[in-house]
Amino acid sequence: MCGIVGYIGNQNVIGVILEGLKRLEYRGYDSSGISFYCENDKKIEVIKKSGKIKDLVNEIDKRKLCKSHIGIAHTRWATHGEPTDINAHPHTDCTGNIALVHNGIIENYRTLKSFLLDKGHRFKSETDTEVLVHLIEHFYKNDLLEAVKKSLKMVEGTYGILLLSSYEPDTIIAARKGSPLIIGKADGQMIAASDASAIVSLTNQILYMQDNDIARIKKESIEIYNIELEKTSDSDFEQIDLTISQIEKGGYSHFMEKEIFEQPEALTNTFIGRIDFENGTFRLNGIKEKFKDLLNADRIIITACGTSWHSALIGKYLIEKYTNIPVEVDYASEFRYKNPIITEKTVVILVSQSGETADTLAALRESKNKGATTIGICNVVGSTIARETDCGIYTHVGPEIGVASTKAFTAQVLVFFMLSVALGRKKYLTFEDGIKFIKEIQSVPEKIKRILGSQNVFKSLDSIVETNYIKNNFLYLGRGINFPVALEGALKLKEISYIHAEGYPAAEMKHGPIALIDENMPVLFISLKDSIYDKIINNIKEIKARKGYVITIASEDDTEISKIVDKVIYIPKIIEDLSPLLSVIPLQLLAYKTAVKKGLDVDMPRNLAKSVTVE
Ligand code: M6R
């Protein structure tokens, strides 16, 4: 939930870690701080500030800084203690000789804190993290690594930590359990961070730390130990495929806007190498070994959070339709607190853009414990979920930085479609069906481009925003495969424009929510010319009869609908099962434009963070 970065090398450390922090700001942005070792004074200095990283930079600019080539930094999403200067990381021990940044949660911090208070330690903050640095101080007897090991053994919870100490001023100690941490190596320089975006400006040589790893990082060398401090042989760096331009805005005002507009190209990357014309199917090499398990599954469970959960609902619809295999969709946050029915013939699919979401990871581990075959649908290559599942399918849409997920959603839906067709082809879909589906998928990027390039779409959106940005509530209604799109549209509006919005199955309206309808309630329908078009028109009429303001996403050949609704956004025709890929685009834009109109911080909405690595 937070971002951490540490650097040791020939460059002035402040510039490097601040650049890294800015790249990680999407992970948390309520306060931030840095700590570095002053070579002349031979002591650790800490600067921290509540607010965004620019507030920290202003604070740093006021100071006269010493020479330093080693430091750590943190950008926070508060869990324990409000986002104040004092609660910001890094945290230090009583002597100020050890500084630490932490991403995760120390669950037993109360017990540890009272133990440390009894020993005379003085605490400055309300955070769970501060106990860890005092614990290390408590155990320190001229061997930092040993003190870290002893402390981590007492900790319950999750952590990715970086530690700096004047006791060993040429070393950063890193450790991980449950929170991501990677290390990058360049000539005479090492950098450690929560994710690769903070590293790629320096190097593409990356090492993924594993759970329970502790690393001693020096300028020219790295040693990896397990929690017993036995050296592991696993310190292989690999080359990653990520460029700076992929993580910059490239002329757009916001990452979210960029990511919406990237979708034609991004989705092409999702399907392009997977088309198998010869066999009228899709080649999903990542799950080759477990494909039979899927085909023979007694049940498939898909589990995920947020937007990824919405794509899972679409996945259920498609897999059941093309394979007849029963599919259940679970919130990952609920999964381990019930009794998920798993047999050795159950396959669990974990969907996660980041591949680091704590609840989804916990659901994965629970599924593995119970003997299920596990398959990941992730975007971030090398992420924890991608590595811990038996196998998986990457969405390959490049880094998604905007907190509101856009291109990851459409790519996940596309992956579910390809997976369903590939499985269906082994069941009852014909070769001709397969070819038809391939052609339909190939038409998707062009059709999204048409929406994104349409003046009419943008004119309608602008006038909808103008009328409705001041509203407090919104309803999104859809049916069938477009019901999850209604949920997704509502989530987008909530998270970035702070308007309360609810997604609902259109026909369920009359069982309660219709009581909310009056002239102040904008109701957005997804009413495409599909198998349930007539039914949804009836639902629209029910709203209009109660003076509701109706906006609809309609098929471009629907000449009638404008007569019964207030605003229409037309989208190109496509087969029903791929329609979410088009119907969601205006909803992403509507949320984006509303947030911009309201002057809100689109990429860093309040209270949120991009990847939720705490429970
Ligand atoms: O990285 P993940 O796909 O696992 O993230 C899951 C949710 O936290 C995420 O989709 C969240 O709901 C987004 N902010 C939605 O836009």
Side-chain angles (χ1 to χ4, degrees):
M1 212 68 194
C2 305
I4 61 177
V5 59
Y7 171 84
I8 173 165
N10 307 323
Q11 300 188 51
N12 179 347
V13 71
I14 313 288
V16 183
I17 55 179
L18 278 180
E19 187 190 332
L21 264 197
K22 284 180 197 153
R23 304 262 182 226
L24 295 174
E25 193 170 22
Y26 73 93
R27 298 178 67 90
Y29 36 81
D30 57 38
S31 52
S32 55
I34 59 171
S35 177
F36 45 95
Y37 179 72
C38 288
E39 286 158 23
N40 294 340
D41 305 347
K42 302 205 177 333
K43 64 174 199 181
I44 301 276
E45 186 150 334
V46 177
I47 307 173
K48 41 195 204 172
K49 196 77 198 139
S50 62
K52 301 256 166 78
I53 290 172
K54 63 176 170 27
D55 301 305
L56 174 69
V57 172
N58 287 341
E59 185 61 33
I60 292 172
D61 286 347
K62 289 184 206 152
R63 312 276 185 103
K64 194 170 170 306
L65 299 177
C66 58
K67 201 162 102 191
S68 176
H69 296 95
I70 180 168
I72 54 178
H74 185 276
T75 182
R76 179 168 187 242
W77 185 86
T79 56
H80 296 67
E82 283 180 30
T84 58
D85 291 358
I86 289 191
N87 288 335
H89 299 214
H91 291 287
T92 49
D93 67 331
C94 298
T95 63
N97 283 311
I98 308 172
L100 178 125
V101 290
H102 167 224
N103 172 27
I105 289 188
I106 314 286
E107 281 163 11
N108 59 340
Y109 83 99
R110 279 197 192 84
T111 320
L112 296 174
K113 191 166 178 174
S114 69
F115 164 78
L116 290 159
L117 284 169
D118 283 351
K119 301 272 175 219
H121 288 261
R122 298 173 316 279
F123 282 78
K124 299 176 274 282
S125 77
E126 304 151 307
T127 63
D128 53 334
T129 301
E130 197 183 342
V131 297
L132 191 48
V133 74
H134 288 281
L135 207 54
I136 294 167
E137 176 185 21
H138 167 77
F139 284 120
Y140 180 71
K141 305 267 173 320
N142 294 319
D143 186 342
L144 210 49
L145 208 59
E146 185 65 25
V148 170
K149 166 195 128 179
K150 285 189 171 141
S151 307
L152 292 180
K153 283 186 124 183
M154 288 182 74
V155 160
E156 285 163 23
T158 56
Y159 53 79
I161 59 163
L162 295 173
L163 177 143
L164 177 69
S165 173
S166 53
Y167 300 136
E168 291 183 28
D170 60 345
T171 305
I172 288 176
I173 293 184
R176 92 155 254 182
K177 184 177 163 206
S179 300
L181 199 50
I182 60 180
I183 299 166
K185 161 173 93 168
D187 262 358
Q189 311 177 71
M190 294 278 188
I191 182 163
S194 306
D195 73 43
S197 62
I199 290 184
V200 280
S201 63
L202 206 66
T203 177
N204 278 35
Q205 294 289 316
I206 300 278
L207 179 148
Y208 293 96
M209 285 186 72
Q210 308 296 325
D211 271 354
N212 295 314
D213 277 355
I214 304 179
R216 193 205 306 261
I217 308 169
K218 291 183 188 280
K219 199 160 91 160
E220 304 274 5
S221 67
I222 176 163
E223 290 156 10
I224 311 267
Y225 301 88
N226 64 20
I227 194 78
E228 300 303 336
L229 290 192
E230 295 151 350
K231 256 197 184 167
T232 67
S233 54
D234 204 9
S235 58
D236 294 338
F237 283 81
E238 50 191 90
Q239 181 84 14
I240 56 149
D241 194 16
L242 181 65
T243 59
I244 280 286
S245 64
Q246 285 178 294
I247 52 171
E248 285 182 341
K249 283 189 218 148
Y252 288 95
S253 307
H254 300 97
F255 282 111
M256 183 184 180
E257 184 190 22
K258 176 186 175 221
E259 287 154 10
I260 292 172
F261 279 85
E262 262 173 8
Q263 285 174 108
E265 199 192 327
L267 295 188
T268 305
N269 290 335
T270 308
F271 70 73
I272 197 75
R274 290 167 167 154
I275 289 175
D276 178 358
F277 258 117
E278 227 165 275
N279 299 300
T281 188
F282 296 96
R283 213 180 302 110
L284 300 169
N285 287 338
I287 56 165
K288 217 163 46 194
E289 271 105 64
K290 298 290 174 188
F291 198 72
K292 278 216 171 88
D293 293 10
L294 266 167
L295 275 176
N296 300 326
D298 58 358
R299 211 148 69 89
I300 295 173
I301 301 175
I302 316 176
T303 180
C305 299
T307 286
S308 298
W309 184 78
H310 297 154
S311 80
L313 294 175
I314 296 176
K316 170 183 164 71
Y317 179 99
L318 293 169
I319 296 172
E320 287 186 339
K321 180 167 175 182
Y322 294 155
T323 70
N324 278 340
I325 302 170
V327 181
E328 204 179 285
V329 178
D330 267 334
Y331 282 114
S333 52
E334 294 291 326
F335 191 80
R336 63 196 184 286
Y337 298 113
K338 52 181 205 160
N339 178 26
I341 312 292
I342 289 175
T343 70
E344 73 272 15
K345 287 190 77 184
T346 307
V347 176
V348 180
I349 302 181
L350 297 301
V351 193
S352 174
Q353 185 287 129
S354 61
E356 302 294 349
T357 299
D359 287 319
T360 315
L361 185 56
L364 162 63
R365 290 176 179 163
E366 177 71 5
S367 310
K368 286 180 91 169
N369 262 341
K370 294 201 159 183
T373 299
T374 57
I375 294 180
I377 298 180
C378 296
N379 188 41
V380 178
V381 176
S383 55
T384 310
I385 294 173
R387 281 181 294 124
E388 288 194 16
T389 36
D390 293 321
C391 62
I393 309 170
Y394 281 118
T395 45
H396 286 315
V397 289
E400 189 182 69
I401 312 274
V403 166
S405 185
T406 51
K407 61 178 179 174
F409 172 75
T410 42
Q412 290 162 355
V413 171
L414 199 50
V415 165
F416 273 122
F417 185 82
M418 292 191 287
L419 176 63
S420 311
V421 173
L423 291 169
R425 280 285 291 119
K426 297 285 177 198
K427 301 230 169 190
Y428 58 86
L429 290 181
T430 63
F431 174 78
E432 284 71 29
D433 290 333
I435 295 294
K436 183 181 114 194
F437 289 140
I438 291 174
K439 289 193 174 147
E440 288 288 343
I441 275 202
Q442 285 178 315
S443 76
V444 168
E446 199 45 48
K447 288 177 177 167
I448 297 181
K449 263 191 206 156
R450 271 172 55 202
I451 302 173
L452 294 171
S454 159
Q455 284 197 10
N456 285 337
V457 168
F458 279 78
K459 250 201 242 152
S460 306
L461 282 168
D462 286 341
S463 103
I464 295 165
V465 170
E466 206 48 54
T467 319
N468 295 294
Y469 78 99
I470 34 151
K471 296 280 160 66
N472 295 321
N473 298 292
F474 237 96
L475 274 173
Y476 284 71
L477 304 178
R479 297 186 75 156
I481 198 166
N482 275 298
F483 159 57
V485 177
L487 295 176
E488 175 60 6
L491 176 63
K492 290 290 88 97
L493 194 72
K494 271 186 273 211
E495 66 184 335
I496 59 166
S497 34
Y498 314 152
I499 295 177
H500 169 243
E502 262 193 71
Y504 231 76
E508 279 291 306
M509 275 297 289
K510 48 189 172 302
H511 300 286
I514 203 159
L516 297 167
I517 304 299
D518 62 15
E519 58 278 15
N520 292 318
M521 174 65 90
V523 184
L524 188 147
F525 277 90
I526 302 153
S527 54
L528 306 177
K529 279 230 163 153
D530 56 20
S531 56
I532 38 175
Y533 176 72
D534 293 337
K535 306 272 175 211
I536 213 155
I537 293 296
N538 292 339
N539 301 139
I540 292 178
K541 287 185 177 157
E542 287 157 12
I543 302 296
K544 281 313 295 176
R546 286 154 184 91
K547 297 194 170 40
Y549 175 92
V550 173
I551 304 157
T552 188
I553 310 295
S555 305
E556 61 190 354
D557 61 347
D558 189 341
T559 48
E560 292 301 306
I561 202 156
S562 63
K563 297 178 188 152
I564 56 166
V565 302
D566 298 278
K567 285 281 168 204
V568 191
I569 300 171
Y570 292 104
I571 60 170
K573 295 269 298 173
I574 194 154
I575 54 164
E576 189 167 338
D577 292 344
L578 284 173
S579 62
L581 297 176
L582 305 190
S583 58
V584 77
I585 308 289
L587 308 192
Q588 297 170 344
L589 289 166
L590 177 63
Y592 173 72
K593 284 176 155 285
T594 307
V596 171
K597 175 78 189 172
K598 290 179 82 170
L600 299 172
D601 192 338
V602 173
D603 286 330
M604 287 185 251
R606 69 182 178 206
N607 305 337
L608 289 174
K610 180 66 181 163
S611 71
V612 185
T613 56
V614 293
E615 192 185 331

